[in-house]
Amino acid sequence: MKTYKQLFSELSELKRSALIPFFVVGDPDFDTSLDIVKTSIDAGADVLELGIPFSDPIADGPTIQKADIRARNSGMNMTEAMEFIRKVKDYKDIPIGLLMYYNLVYQYGTEKFFSDCYQAGVNSVLVADLSIDDADEITSPAAKAGLDTVFMVTPNTDTDRMKLIASKTTGFIYTVSLLGVTGSREKLSDTVEELVGELKKLTNVPVCVGFGISKPEHAATVASAGADGVIIGSKIVGLIESNLDNKEKMLTEISTFISDVKSAIENQGN
Amino acid sequence: MTPGLRRGHERQERLQSMKYKGRFGDYGGFYVPEVLMPVLEELEEAFYRFYEDEGFVSELAKLSKEYAGRPSPLYYAKRFSEHVGFKVYLKREDLLHGGAHKVNNTLGQGLLAKYMGKTKLIAETGAGQHGLATAMIGALFGMETKIFMGVVDIERQSVNVHKMKLCGAEVVPIEGGTGTLKDAINDALRYWTAHVTDTFYLFGSACGPHPYPTIVKHFQSCIGKEARRQCLEEIGKLPDMVVACVGGGSNAIGIFAGFVDDKDVRLIGVEAGGRSLSSGKHAATLVAGKVGVLHGAKSYLLQDKEGQVHETESVSAGLDYPAVGPEHCLLKDTGRAEYVAAEDDAVLDAFELLSKTEGILPALESSHALAYLCSRKGKLDPETIAVINLSGRGDKDVSIVEERRPLKID
């Protein structure tokens, strides 16, 4: 199984940032969702962030909330999600990070959850509503199962806390570009370059940036600021939402967008 | 040690102590995204700095008396008592300004916001009582106020919506999910995430992430302290039982706080049995839920086996919530408090009974506690003394009652 370590060191040789699209597993349904993920891999995704749909996603804006509802309505659950991940891994050995909420982990049974995730081919699990302070509830079962850890840093995280977070992170730091929830934005947050710069000075752990990155030029700016990866969620999920009645067009638009972002990142030559 | 490192060290110690203070057994905690951690820390630090501060305490006491109308009376409901066959005393929180116990908490937290230098308030609301109590305090302190409220609740509590607007608050309709309290909290948390620097989230119930359960209990515990003193002064002894309705659990934890050390006083929390427990259409979290994590805290939770949170149903918007305050979970597990459920029909009966026997219209939330007393009719010693927290008045619910129980014109 390809690890984050292998991937980020390969990309670092190439002086290139990772392109990390986010999808909600099963949005709008299992088969379409799988086709979307395969399309994005073909278009140049380096890592996948996959969201497990939840009834109360407090860190997500309207676009992802609606995707969660579509996925749940189509019958997505944890068993199906594991099957989905296995199918993605059969298609290509690409690192996969899950992004989800704690209650789903807790009800599944923490130890069993992480070990089943690892078996299915997951590299890391980021629990959105579990900060570093309560992370001991998951860090040791995750490590025992063989998973890497991914934690968030936000614009209001102070330097000491950044150091602490970096020390507990083995996968990558998920850097939130702005104060707020997920969602596409017209403009890139003007503090993101500074935030990436500060993190890169503090740690050798890869730094990836997400929330509000919606255009190829946003991705290019983040990459040139030194980010090891660029995470794009709501913008792509929005392309699913606006093409629900035309799957072919949906796949084409997603493929084109991801290719455009990919070239924008590559032209930065990080 | 350099100053920076020392600060970091102190901060870690504070976080460790936060972790300890925020737990009720294994319940509670602060299960929130990273972005909210610094604000919860700031809030906790401010709360412990001010809650015993002389200036803060005296300002709050003055406002509680002159603005909110404390102390609230303890009233012997003679005709209602005759009906159920034992002695029932009402702690009249319904007489407070705003018509509910909610003002105790909004005054306390609003004052805290002021002391912290915050200029904007946000709050979630179900029945609209907490929203109204927050809007009042926003007007009182001249703070810009936004109230998040589900569209279903806006429709069934339109009078309170109007009152909030009259007090100058903006009411933000929430369409997501079930359009009730749970979804209003989701969106208030999302909004707070993006406006942490100048906005104070005035949380309405004794649940949510630490330090809210502790803060809300602190500001509501005046109910229990007063009630205990009034029992001793006016009845000459402590009651046999103290009964309160439980949604998130703020009025219950407030009155329980006065009696929790009196081991002979039974504490009974009454949850919303909705249509019926067996139908699954209810909000009886402690009675029928299973431990999980929602809105920043570990508590009993109504959910499916995968952990997706259930939609709840209750005739009272204020109890329509799938989680519950963490301290109630501990009180249940230790057996110090008992939790039961009252179904909608029994609640409406109790609403009508108190109105007819005493001329007091109780809130549908508080009517759950009354319904429990009605269910004990003829089963208790006539000398039994029950104190119930009449947490709010029922004016806001008249149209719902009218719809469910049309009055016959003779």
PDB file of all heavy atoms in Angstrom, chain A residues 53 55-58 60 65 77-78 103 107 128-129 133 137 156 161, chain B residues 19 31 33-35 37 182 186 190 290-293 303 306-309:
ATOM      1  N   PRO A  53     -20.567  10.254   5.087  1.00  0.00           N
ATOM      2  CA  PRO A  53     -21.709  11.140   5.370  1.00  0.00           C
ATOM      3  C   PRO A  53     -22.225  11.005   6.795  1.00  0.00           C
ATOM      4  O   PRO A  53     -22.309   9.907   7.335  1.00  0.00           O
ATOM      5  CB  PRO A  53     -22.770  10.702   4.362  1.00  0.00           C
ATOM      6  CG  PRO A  53     -22.381   9.338   3.915  1.00  0.00           C
ATOM      7  CD  PRO A  53     -20.887   9.269   4.036  1.00  0.00           C
ATOM      8  N   SER A  55     -25.154  12.803   9.808  1.00  0.00           N
ATOM      9  CA  SER A  55     -26.398  13.567   9.953  1.00  0.00           C
ATOM     10  C   SER A  55     -26.158  15.008  10.406  1.00  0.00           C
ATOM     11  O   SER A  55     -26.953  15.883  10.128  1.00  0.00           O
ATOM     12  CB  SER A  55     -27.316  12.861  10.961  1.00  0.00           C
ATOM     13  OG  SER A  55     -26.629  12.603  12.168  1.00  0.00           O
ATOM     14  N   ASP A  56     -25.078  15.266  11.121  1.00  0.00           N
ATOM     15  CA  ASP A  56     -24.848  16.584  11.703  1.00  0.00           C
ATOM     16  C   ASP A  56     -23.422  17.097  11.497  1.00  0.00           C
ATOM     17  O   ASP A  56     -22.663  17.241  12.454  1.00  0.00           O
ATOM     18  CB  ASP A  56     -25.178  16.535  13.204  1.00  0.00           C
ATOM     19  CG  ASP A  56     -26.637  16.210  13.434  1.00  0.00           C
ATOM     20  OD1 ASP A  56     -26.986  15.013  13.445  1.00  0.00           O
ATOM     21  OD2 ASP A  56     -27.433  17.145  13.553  1.00  0.00           O
ATOM     22  N   PRO A  57     -23.068  17.385  10.234  1.00  0.00           N
ATOM     23  CA  PRO A  57     -21.684  17.776   9.936  1.00  0.00           C
ATOM     24  C   PRO A  57     -21.388  19.237  10.270  1.00  0.00           C
ATOM     25  O   PRO A  57     -21.473  20.098   9.411  1.00  0.00           O
ATOM     26  CB  PRO A  57     -21.585  17.518   8.426  1.00  0.00           C
ATOM     27  CG  PRO A  57     -22.983  17.711   7.915  1.00  0.00           C
ATOM     28  CD  PRO A  57     -23.917  17.343   9.030  1.00  0.00           C
ATOM     29  N   ILE A  58     -21.012  19.505  11.530  1.00  0.00           N
ATOM     30  CA  ILE A  58     -20.898  20.897  11.993  1.00  0.00           C
ATOM     31  C   ILE A  58     -19.711  21.659  11.404  1.00  0.00           C
ATOM     32  O   ILE A  58     -19.668  22.873  11.494  1.00  0.00           O
ATOM     33  CB  ILE A  58     -20.821  20.995  13.535  1.00  0.00           C
ATOM     34  CG1 ILE A  58     -19.667  20.166  14.081  1.00  0.00           C
ATOM     35  CG2 ILE A  58     -22.140  20.602  14.173  1.00  0.00           C
ATOM     36  CD1 ILE A  58     -19.340  20.512  15.528  1.00  0.00           C
ATOM     37  N   ASP A  60     -18.989  21.540   8.213  1.00  0.00           N
ATOM     38  CA  ASP A  60     -19.218  21.654   6.774  1.00  0.00           C
ATOM     39  C   ASP A  60     -20.266  22.681   6.419  1.00  0.00           C
ATOM     40  O   ASP A  60     -21.276  22.830   7.094  1.00  0.00           O
ATOM     41  CB  ASP A  60     -19.643  20.292   6.207  1.00  0.00           C
ATOM     42  CG  ASP A  60     -18.476  19.331   6.153  1.00  0.00           C
ATOM     43  OD1 ASP A  60     -17.501  19.656   5.453  1.00  0.00           O
ATOM     44  OD2 ASP A  60     -18.523  18.282   6.819  1.00  0.00           O
ATOM     45  N   GLN A  65     -22.926  19.499   3.153  1.00  0.00           N
ATOM     46  CA  GLN A  65     -24.118  18.994   3.870  1.00  0.00           C
ATOM     47  C   GLN A  65     -25.086  18.327   2.905  1.00  0.00           C
ATOM     48  O   GLN A  65     -25.626  17.264   3.174  1.00  0.00           O
ATOM     49  CB  GLN A  65     -24.865  20.144   4.549  1.00  0.00           C
ATOM     50  CG  GLN A  65     -24.166  20.753   5.746  1.00  0.00           C
ATOM     51  CD  GLN A  65     -24.913  22.002   6.216  1.00  0.00           C
ATOM     52  OE1 GLN A  65     -26.124  21.998   6.349  1.00  0.00           O
ATOM     53  NE2 GLN A  65     -24.192  23.084   6.447  1.00  0.00           N
ATOM     54  N   ASN A  77     -23.563   3.542   3.942  1.00  0.00           N
ATOM     55  CA  ASN A  77     -23.312   3.317   5.364  1.00  0.00           C
ATOM     56  C   ASN A  77     -21.872   2.842   5.502  1.00  0.00           C
ATOM     57  O   ASN A  77     -21.126   2.799   4.518  1.00  0.00           O
ATOM     58  CB  ASN A  77     -24.311   2.310   5.947  1.00  0.00           C
ATOM     59  CG  ASN A  77     -24.263   0.983   5.213  1.00  0.00           C
ATOM     60  OD1 ASN A  77     -23.199   0.554   4.727  1.00  0.00           O
ATOM     61  ND2 ASN A  77     -25.401   0.323   5.109  1.00  0.00           N
ATOM     62  N   MET A  78     -21.472   2.477   6.692  1.00  0.00           N
ATOM     63  CA  MET A  78     -20.066   2.171   6.913  1.00  0.00           C
ATOM     64  C   MET A  78     -19.614   0.909   6.165  1.00  0.00           C
ATOM     65  O   MET A  78     -18.508   0.872   5.630  1.00  0.00           O
ATOM     66  CB  MET A  78     -19.828   2.038   8.418  1.00  0.00           C
ATOM     67  CG  MET A  78     -18.433   2.381   8.820  1.00  0.00           C
ATOM     68  SD  MET A  78     -18.013   4.058   8.354  1.00  0.00           S
ATOM     69  CE  MET A  78     -18.509   4.890   9.823  1.00  0.00           C
ATOM     70  N   ASN A 103     -18.809  10.507  16.203  1.00  0.00           N
ATOM     71  CA  ASN A 103     -19.824   9.549  16.647  1.00  0.00           C
ATOM     72  C   ASN A 103     -19.843   8.282  15.789  1.00  0.00           C
ATOM     73  O   ASN A 103     -20.136   7.196  16.292  1.00  0.00           O
ATOM     74  CB  ASN A 103     -21.216  10.192  16.683  1.00  0.00           C
ATOM     75  CG  ASN A 103     -22.193   9.398  17.522  1.00  0.00           C
ATOM     76  OD1 ASN A 103     -21.842   8.936  18.620  1.00  0.00           O
ATOM     77  ND2 ASN A 103     -23.381   9.164  17.017  1.00  0.00           N
ATOM     78  N   GLN A 107     -19.413   4.643  17.527  1.00  0.00           N
ATOM     79  CA  GLN A 107     -20.450   3.597  17.476  1.00  0.00           C
ATOM     80  C   GLN A 107     -19.944   2.322  16.809  1.00  0.00           C
ATOM     81  O   GLN A 107     -20.374   1.222  17.147  1.00  0.00           O
ATOM     82  CB  GLN A 107     -21.706   4.097  16.740  1.00  0.00           C
ATOM     83  CG  GLN A 107     -22.381   5.306  17.377  1.00  0.00           C
ATOM     84  CD  GLN A 107     -22.645   5.142  18.866  1.00  0.00           C
ATOM     85  OE1 GLN A 107     -22.910   4.051  19.357  1.00  0.00           O
ATOM     86  NE2 GLN A 107     -22.537   6.227  19.615  1.00  0.00           N
ATOM     87  N   ALA A 128     -13.157  15.215  12.352  1.00  0.00           N
ATOM     88  CA  ALA A 128     -13.309  16.681  12.334  1.00  0.00           C
ATOM     89  C   ALA A 128     -13.628  17.263  13.706  1.00  0.00           C
ATOM     90  O   ALA A 128     -13.220  18.369  14.021  1.00  0.00           O
ATOM     91  CB  ALA A 128     -14.390  17.088  11.343  1.00  0.00           C
ATOM     92  N   ASP A 129     -14.365  16.511  14.527  1.00  0.00           N
ATOM     93  CA  ASP A 129     -14.743  17.061  15.824  1.00  0.00           C
ATOM     94  C   ASP A 129     -13.944  16.434  16.970  1.00  0.00           C
ATOM     95  O   ASP A 129     -14.456  16.243  18.060  1.00  0.00           O
ATOM     96  CB  ASP A 129     -16.259  16.926  16.072  1.00  0.00           C
ATOM     97  CG  ASP A 129     -16.773  15.507  15.877  1.00  0.00           C
ATOM     98  OD1 ASP A 129     -16.016  14.661  15.358  1.00  0.00           O
ATOM     99  OD2 ASP A 129     -17.931  15.238  16.238  1.00  0.00           O
ATOM    100  N   ASP A 133      -6.595  17.730  21.794  1.00  0.00           N
ATOM    101  CA  ASP A 133      -6.718  17.528  23.242  1.00  0.00           C
ATOM    102  C   ASP A 133      -7.442  16.245  23.618  1.00  0.00           C
ATOM    103  O   ASP A 133      -7.219  15.686  24.678  1.00  0.00           O
ATOM    104  CB  ASP A 133      -7.423  18.726  23.863  1.00  0.00           C
ATOM    105  CG  ASP A 133      -6.752  20.012  23.437  1.00  0.00           C
ATOM    106  OD1 ASP A 133      -5.633  20.245  23.905  1.00  0.00           O
ATOM    107  OD2 ASP A 133      -7.327  20.731  22.604  1.00  0.00           O
ATOM    108  N   GLU A 137      -8.032   9.487  22.432  1.00  0.00           N
ATOM    109  CA  GLU A 137      -9.068   8.462  22.249  1.00  0.00           C
ATOM    110  C   GLU A 137      -8.886   7.722  20.924  1.00  0.00           C
ATOM    111  O   GLU A 137      -9.425   6.643  20.741  1.00  0.00           O
ATOM    112  CB  GLU A 137     -10.472   9.102  22.285  1.00  0.00           C
ATOM    113  CG  GLU A 137     -10.792   9.713  23.637  1.00  0.00           C
ATOM    114  CD  GLU A 137     -12.285  10.068  23.808  1.00  0.00           C
ATOM    115  OE1 GLU A 137     -13.123   9.530  23.079  1.00  0.00           O
ATOM    116  OE2 GLU A 137     -12.567  10.891  24.690  1.00  0.00           O
ATOM    117  N   ASN A 156      -6.406  30.412  13.814  1.00  0.00           N
ATOM    118  CA  ASN A 156      -6.308  30.883  15.203  1.00  0.00           C
ATOM    119  C   ASN A 156      -5.544  29.911  16.116  1.00  0.00           C
ATOM    120  O   ASN A 156      -5.590  30.038  17.325  1.00  0.00           O
ATOM    121  CB  ASN A 156      -7.710  31.181  15.773  1.00  0.00           C
ATOM    122  CG  ASN A 156      -8.650  29.979  15.717  1.00  0.00           C
ATOM    123  OD1 ASN A 156      -8.363  28.995  15.046  1.00  0.00           O
ATOM    124  ND2 ASN A 156      -9.766  30.061  16.415  1.00  0.00           N
ATOM    125  N   ARG A 161       0.787  25.536  20.077  1.00  0.00           N
ATOM    126  CA  ARG A 161      -0.175  24.485  19.751  1.00  0.00           C
ATOM    127  C   ARG A 161       0.163  23.853  18.400  1.00  0.00           C
ATOM    128  O   ARG A 161       0.014  22.653  18.218  1.00  0.00           O
ATOM    129  CB  ARG A 161      -1.576  25.088  19.754  1.00  0.00           C
ATOM    130  CG  ARG A 161      -2.676  24.062  19.791  1.00  0.00           C
ATOM    131  CD  ARG A 161      -4.003  24.735  20.117  1.00  0.00           C
ATOM    132  NE  ARG A 161      -5.115  23.849  19.818  1.00  0.00           N
ATOM    133  CZ  ARG A 161      -5.620  22.962  20.678  1.00  0.00           C
ATOM    134  NH1 ARG A 161      -5.119  22.866  21.895  1.00  0.00           N
ATOM    135  NH2 ARG A 161      -6.619  22.181  20.335  1.00  0.00           N
TER     136      ARG A 161
ATOM    137  N   LYS B  19      -9.900  19.678  30.620  1.00  0.00           N
ATOM    138  CA  LYS B  19     -10.338  18.347  30.284  1.00  0.00           C
ATOM    139  C   LYS B  19     -10.980  17.690  31.508  1.00  0.00           C
ATOM    140  O   LYS B  19     -12.021  17.057  31.422  1.00  0.00           O
ATOM    141  CB  LYS B  19      -9.100  17.558  29.864  1.00  0.00           C
ATOM    142  CG  LYS B  19      -9.408  16.482  28.916  1.00  0.00           C
ATOM    143  CD  LYS B  19      -8.150  16.001  28.282  1.00  0.00           C
ATOM    144  CE  LYS B  19      -8.480  14.669  27.690  1.00  0.00           C
ATOM    145  NZ  LYS B  19      -7.456  14.173  26.832  1.00  0.00           N
ATOM    146  N   TYR B  31     -15.753  17.950  22.176  1.00  0.00           N
ATOM    147  CA  TYR B  31     -15.540  17.311  20.883  1.00  0.00           C
ATOM    148  C   TYR B  31     -15.904  18.316  19.790  1.00  0.00           C
ATOM    149  O   TYR B  31     -17.009  18.304  19.260  1.00  0.00           O
ATOM    150  CB  TYR B  31     -16.400  16.057  20.778  1.00  0.00           C
ATOM    151  CG  TYR B  31     -16.032  14.998  21.794  1.00  0.00           C
ATOM    152  CD1 TYR B  31     -16.604  14.988  23.059  1.00  0.00           C
ATOM    153  CD2 TYR B  31     -15.080  14.020  21.491  1.00  0.00           C
ATOM    154  CE1 TYR B  31     -16.254  14.024  24.003  1.00  0.00           C
ATOM    155  CE2 TYR B  31     -14.729  13.056  22.418  1.00  0.00           C
ATOM    156  CZ  TYR B  31     -15.318  13.072  23.675  1.00  0.00           C
ATOM    157  OH  TYR B  31     -14.965  12.128  24.602  1.00  0.00           O
ATOM    158  N   PRO B  33     -14.294  20.927  16.384  1.00  0.00           N
ATOM    159  CA  PRO B  33     -13.190  21.167  15.454  1.00  0.00           C
ATOM    160  C   PRO B  33     -12.134  22.073  16.076  1.00  0.00           C
ATOM    161  O   PRO B  33     -12.449  22.916  16.937  1.00  0.00           O
ATOM    162  CB  PRO B  33     -13.870  21.857  14.270  1.00  0.00           C
ATOM    163  CG  PRO B  33     -15.297  21.432  14.330  1.00  0.00           C
ATOM    164  CD  PRO B  33     -15.601  21.290  15.799  1.00  0.00           C
ATOM    165  N   GLU B  34     -10.903  21.900  15.619  1.00  0.00           N
ATOM    166  CA  GLU B  34      -9.765  22.655  16.133  1.00  0.00           C
ATOM    167  C   GLU B  34     -10.034  24.163  16.244  1.00  0.00           C
ATOM    168  O   GLU B  34      -9.669  24.808  17.215  1.00  0.00           O
ATOM    169  CB  GLU B  34      -8.558  22.403  15.205  1.00  0.00           C
ATOM    170  CG  GLU B  34      -7.319  23.237  15.486  1.00  0.00           C
ATOM    171  CD  GLU B  34      -6.718  22.998  16.855  1.00  0.00           C
ATOM    172  OE1 GLU B  34      -6.931  21.913  17.431  1.00  0.00           O
ATOM    173  OE2 GLU B  34      -6.037  23.905  17.363  1.00  0.00           O
ATOM    174  N   VAL B  35     -10.740  24.719  15.239  1.00  0.00           N
ATOM    175  CA  VAL B  35     -10.948  26.163  15.192  1.00  0.00           C
ATOM    176  C   VAL B  35     -11.704  26.685  16.415  1.00  0.00           C
ATOM    177  O   VAL B  35     -11.545  27.844  16.812  1.00  0.00           O
ATOM    178  CB  VAL B  35     -11.663  26.557  13.873  1.00  0.00           C
ATOM    179  CG1 VAL B  35     -13.043  25.923  13.779  1.00  0.00           C
ATOM    180  CG2 VAL B  35     -11.770  28.056  13.706  1.00  0.00           C
ATOM    181  N   MET B  37     -11.413  25.383  19.525  1.00  0.00           N
ATOM    182  CA  MET B  37     -10.692  25.161  20.786  1.00  0.00           C
ATOM    183  C   MET B  37     -10.205  26.464  21.435  1.00  0.00           C
ATOM    184  O   MET B  37     -10.419  26.666  22.629  1.00  0.00           O
ATOM    185  CB  MET B  37      -9.528  24.180  20.576  1.00  0.00           C
ATOM    186  CG  MET B  37      -9.968  22.746  20.432  1.00  0.00           C
ATOM    187  SD  MET B  37     -11.046  22.179  21.774  1.00  0.00           S
ATOM    188  CE  MET B  37      -9.929  22.351  23.167  1.00  0.00           C
ATOM    189  N   LYS B 182     -31.784  20.927  16.956  1.00  0.00           N
ATOM    190  CA  LYS B 182     -30.514  20.292  16.602  1.00  0.00           C
ATOM    191  C   LYS B 182     -29.859  21.009  15.416  1.00  0.00           C
ATOM    192  O   LYS B 182     -28.654  21.275  15.427  1.00  0.00           O
ATOM    193  CB  LYS B 182     -30.791  18.831  16.268  1.00  0.00           C
ATOM    194  CG  LYS B 182     -29.698  18.090  15.548  1.00  0.00           C
ATOM    195  CD  LYS B 182     -30.087  16.635  15.343  1.00  0.00           C
ATOM    196  CE  LYS B 182     -30.791  16.364  14.025  1.00  0.00           C
ATOM    197  NZ  LYS B 182     -29.955  15.903  12.950  1.00  0.00           N
ATOM    198  N   ASN B 186     -26.393  23.232  14.975  1.00  0.00           N
ATOM    199  CA  ASN B 186     -25.397  22.986  13.925  1.00  0.00           C
ATOM    200  C   ASN B 186     -25.006  24.295  13.241  1.00  0.00           C
ATOM    201  O   ASN B 186     -23.823  24.595  13.065  1.00  0.00           O
ATOM    202  CB  ASN B 186     -25.954  22.036  12.849  1.00  0.00           C
ATOM    203  CG  ASN B 186     -26.041  20.593  13.325  1.00  0.00           C
ATOM    204  OD1 ASN B 186     -25.400  20.213  14.296  1.00  0.00           O
ATOM    205  ND2 ASN B 186     -26.839  19.800  12.641  1.00  0.00           N
ATOM    206  N   ARG B 190     -21.565  26.555  13.144  1.00  0.00           N
ATOM    207  CA  ARG B 190     -20.897  26.880  11.881  1.00  0.00           C
ATOM    208  C   ARG B 190     -20.641  28.379  11.784  1.00  0.00           C
ATOM    209  O   ARG B 190     -19.568  28.821  11.386  1.00  0.00           O
ATOM    210  CB  ARG B 190     -21.762  26.427  10.696  1.00  0.00           C
ATOM    211  CG  ARG B 190     -21.805  24.926  10.541  1.00  0.00           C
ATOM    212  CD  ARG B 190     -22.741  24.507   9.401  1.00  0.00           C
ATOM    213  NE  ARG B 190     -22.876  23.063   9.376  1.00  0.00           N
ATOM    214  CZ  ARG B 190     -24.031  22.399   9.430  1.00  0.00           C
ATOM    215  NH1 ARG B 190     -25.175  23.058   9.469  1.00  0.00           N
ATOM    216  NH2 ARG B 190     -24.052  21.085   9.430  1.00  0.00           N
ATOM    217  N   LYS B 290     -28.622   5.955  23.639  1.00  0.00           N
ATOM    218  CA  LYS B 290     -27.395   5.187  23.831  1.00  0.00           C
ATOM    219  C   LYS B 290     -26.240   6.189  23.741  1.00  0.00           C
ATOM    220  O   LYS B 290     -26.341   7.179  23.008  1.00  0.00           O
ATOM    221  CB  LYS B 290     -27.357   4.170  22.696  1.00  0.00           C
ATOM    222  CG  LYS B 290     -26.202   3.278  22.619  1.00  0.00           C
ATOM    223  CD  LYS B 290     -26.514   2.150  21.630  1.00  0.00           C
ATOM    224  CE  LYS B 290     -25.255   1.604  21.057  1.00  0.00           C
ATOM    225  NZ  LYS B 290     -24.871   2.015  19.751  1.00  0.00           N
ATOM    226  N   VAL B 291     -25.158   5.936  24.468  1.00  0.00           N
ATOM    227  CA  VAL B 291     -24.084   6.927  24.556  1.00  0.00           C
ATOM    228  C   VAL B 291     -23.458   7.216  23.184  1.00  0.00           C
ATOM    229  O   VAL B 291     -23.193   6.310  22.406  1.00  0.00           O
ATOM    230  CB  VAL B 291     -22.997   6.444  25.536  1.00  0.00           C
ATOM    231  CG1 VAL B 291     -21.846   7.462  25.611  1.00  0.00           C
ATOM    232  CG2 VAL B 291     -23.594   6.242  26.924  1.00  0.00           C
ATOM    233  N   GLY B 292     -23.249   8.491  22.910  1.00  0.00           N
ATOM    234  CA  GLY B 292     -22.628   8.915  21.660  1.00  0.00           C
ATOM    235  C   GLY B 292     -22.078  10.318  21.801  1.00  0.00           C
ATOM    236  O   GLY B 292     -22.003  10.852  22.911  1.00  0.00           O
ATOM    237  N   VAL B 293     -21.694  10.921  20.683  1.00  0.00           N
ATOM    238  CA  VAL B 293     -21.107  12.253  20.711  1.00  0.00           C
ATOM    239  C   VAL B 293     -21.833  13.158  19.717  1.00  0.00           C
ATOM    240  O   VAL B 293     -21.911  12.839  18.528  1.00  0.00           O
ATOM    241  CB  VAL B 293     -19.606  12.210  20.363  1.00  0.00           C
ATOM    242  CG1 VAL B 293     -19.030  13.624  20.278  1.00  0.00           C
ATOM    243  CG2 VAL B 293     -18.831  11.387  21.394  1.00  0.00           C
ATOM    244  N   GLN B 303     -30.067   7.766  18.299  1.00  0.00           N
ATOM    245  CA  GLN B 303     -29.295   7.541  17.078  1.00  0.00           C
ATOM    246  C   GLN B 303     -29.548   6.135  16.565  1.00  0.00           C
ATOM    247  O   GLN B 303     -30.047   5.278  17.292  1.00  0.00           O
ATOM    248  CB  GLN B 303     -27.807   7.694  17.410  1.00  0.00           C
ATOM    249  CG  GLN B 303     -27.381   6.774  18.563  1.00  0.00           C
ATOM    250  CD  GLN B 303     -25.935   6.950  18.991  1.00  0.00           C
ATOM    251  OE1 GLN B 303     -25.077   7.200  18.169  1.00  0.00           O
ATOM    252  NE2 GLN B 303     -25.673   6.810  20.278  1.00  0.00           N
ATOM    253  N   GLU B 306     -25.487   2.867  13.484  1.00  0.00           N
ATOM    254  CA  GLU B 306     -24.246   3.379  12.892  1.00  0.00           C
ATOM    255  C   GLU B 306     -23.787   4.690  13.527  1.00  0.00           C
ATOM    256  O   GLU B 306     -22.661   5.117  13.315  1.00  0.00           O
ATOM    257  CB  GLU B 306     -24.460   3.621  11.402  1.00  0.00           C
ATOM    258  CG  GLU B 306     -24.586   2.344  10.604  1.00  0.00           C
ATOM    259  CD  GLU B 306     -23.751   2.376   9.347  1.00  0.00           C
ATOM    260  OE1 GLU B 306     -23.548   3.472   8.796  1.00  0.00           O
ATOM    261  OE2 GLU B 306     -23.286   1.298   8.934  1.00  0.00           O
ATOM    262  N   GLY B 307     -24.712   5.358  14.249  1.00  0.00           N
ATOM    263  CA  GLY B 307     -24.336   6.622  14.868  1.00  0.00           C
ATOM    264  C   GLY B 307     -24.902   7.845  14.163  1.00  0.00           C
ATOM    265  O   GLY B 307     -24.534   8.968  14.481  1.00  0.00           O
ATOM    266  N   GLN B 308     -25.793   7.626  13.189  1.00  0.00           N
ATOM    267  CA  GLN B 308     -26.490   8.766  12.580  1.00  0.00           C
ATOM    268  C   GLN B 308     -27.573   9.198  13.567  1.00  0.00           C
ATOM    269  O   GLN B 308     -28.272   8.361  14.133  1.00  0.00           O
ATOM    270  CB  GLN B 308     -27.121   8.369  11.237  1.00  0.00           C
ATOM    271  CG  GLN B 308     -26.142   7.760  10.241  1.00  0.00           C
ATOM    272  CD  GLN B 308     -25.168   8.773   9.630  1.00  0.00           C
ATOM    273  OE1 GLN B 308     -25.263   9.973   9.859  1.00  0.00           O
ATOM    274  NE2 GLN B 308     -24.199   8.271   8.879  1.00  0.00           N
ATOM    275  N   VAL B 309     -27.669  10.512  13.770  1.00  0.00           N
ATOM    276  CA  VAL B 309     -28.549  11.015  14.815  1.00  0.00           C
ATOM    277  C   VAL B 309     -30.000  11.007  14.334  1.00  0.00           C
ATOM    278  O   VAL B 309     -30.299  11.397  13.205  1.00  0.00           O
ATOM    279  CB  VAL B 309     -28.117  12.433  15.230  1.00  0.00           C
ATOM    280  CG1 VAL B 309     -29.023  12.977  16.317  1.00  0.00           C
ATOM    281  CG2 VAL B 309     -26.659  12.394  15.703  1.00  0.00           C
TER     282      VAL B 309
END
